[in-house]
Amino acid sequence: MDKELFQKFVAFTTAVHQITSDISKDIKAEALTPLQYKILEYIAVSQPVTLSEISDCMHMSMPNTSRELKKLSEKQLCDKITDPADRRKQGITLSPAGEAMMNEAFQHIAIRFTERIGDLTEEQRKEIERALDLLQEKVFY
Amino acid sequence: MDKELFQKFVAFTTAVHQITSDISKDIKAEALTPLQYKILEYIAVSQPVTLSEISDCMHMSMPNTSRELKKLSEKQLCDKITDPADRRKQGITLSPAGEAMMNEAFQHIAIRFTERIGDLTEEQRKEIERALDLLQEKVFY
DNA sequence: CTCTTTCGTTATCAAATGATAAGTAAAGGA
DNA sequence: TCCTTTACTTATCATTTGATAACGAAAGAG
């Protein structure tokens, strides 16, 4: 019953949400809804992905997932490749245009991130890296 | 241009979003929309708060903020108190019922958090606490 | 070859959220 | 006093997102 630790956890996750939302606020590029952007982000880091996986991880129903993915395909931002081993499944990847868009988005985020930690020493960055590793391994796995 | 650090940052924030969303998935209690829940969460940690502050921090327009807050008031989950020093302003707080609801929500989250870190030693928890403090101070401030 | 299950689609409807225009009331300055 | 700005409200409309029913096509089991 680590009450203090839990409170820090809550405050921390709140701060992470706040900062990432600030940092990527006006990013959601050309003609993308917030949901669509999030889906692209997910595809970008988990490529290749199946529709069911997106549906599970993002807590959305298959029909809605299918609809949004269709829109993304129509915008030429992602590709669907039917799995030859099981033709019901589709491997979804970013298209070259999708990669380009996400790279640009990540670059904007990278710039703001750099501003944020700009005045830290090399030693402090190492510390931060260790902290990130630790938390990701023990808490956010 | 700390590329590796930035990549860890992205992976980390993604993981935090993923885990917090998993952890608080089926929480959004009785007759609350996701937005309304987030607003309550914000009020809970920043009490008392003005409408403009909510509007700013949550990146929503004043009219929409006003509308959602009206709904929350009608549900008796928060109170508005006109600032006697400037009667245009309203200090918004959780009502007793709102406090109760958020406490319950936080307890559910606390339980899942405890499950998550249940098998760690006291020493490891101290480490985690230090890591949270460090990151919050240097990165997510 | 049926039967069932898995993976995905299409269509449709309802609810939540975003955007904008117009208005009120208090505060503050000239 | 009059004018401007700030804080918030009300009303309205468009878009996004969520939920559900019904369907198709491939895979796997018996």
Side-chain angles (χ1 to χ4, degrees), chain A residues 31 51 53-54 75 90 95 117 129 134:
Chain A
L51 253 159
E53 285 168 342
I54 299 179
K75 289 176 186 168
Q90 310 212 345
S95 71
I117 62 157
E129 206 170 322
L134 175 74

Side-chain angles (χ1 to χ4, degrees), chain A residues 20 24 27-28 32 34-47 49 58 72 94 102 105-106 109, chain B residues 10 13-14 17:
Chain A
T20 53
S24 53
I27 299 283
K28 282 130 197 141
L32 275 193
L35 219 212
Q36 286 166 6
Y37 177 79
K38 278 187 200 167
I39 294 175
L40 279 191
E41 221 175 41
Y42 176 68
I43 299 175
V45 299
S46 313
Q47 250 168 359
V49 166
M58 316 218 16
L72 290 173
L94 293 185
M102 289 316 281
F106 278 129
I109 297 175
Chain B
V10 171
T13 55
T14 303
H17 278 90

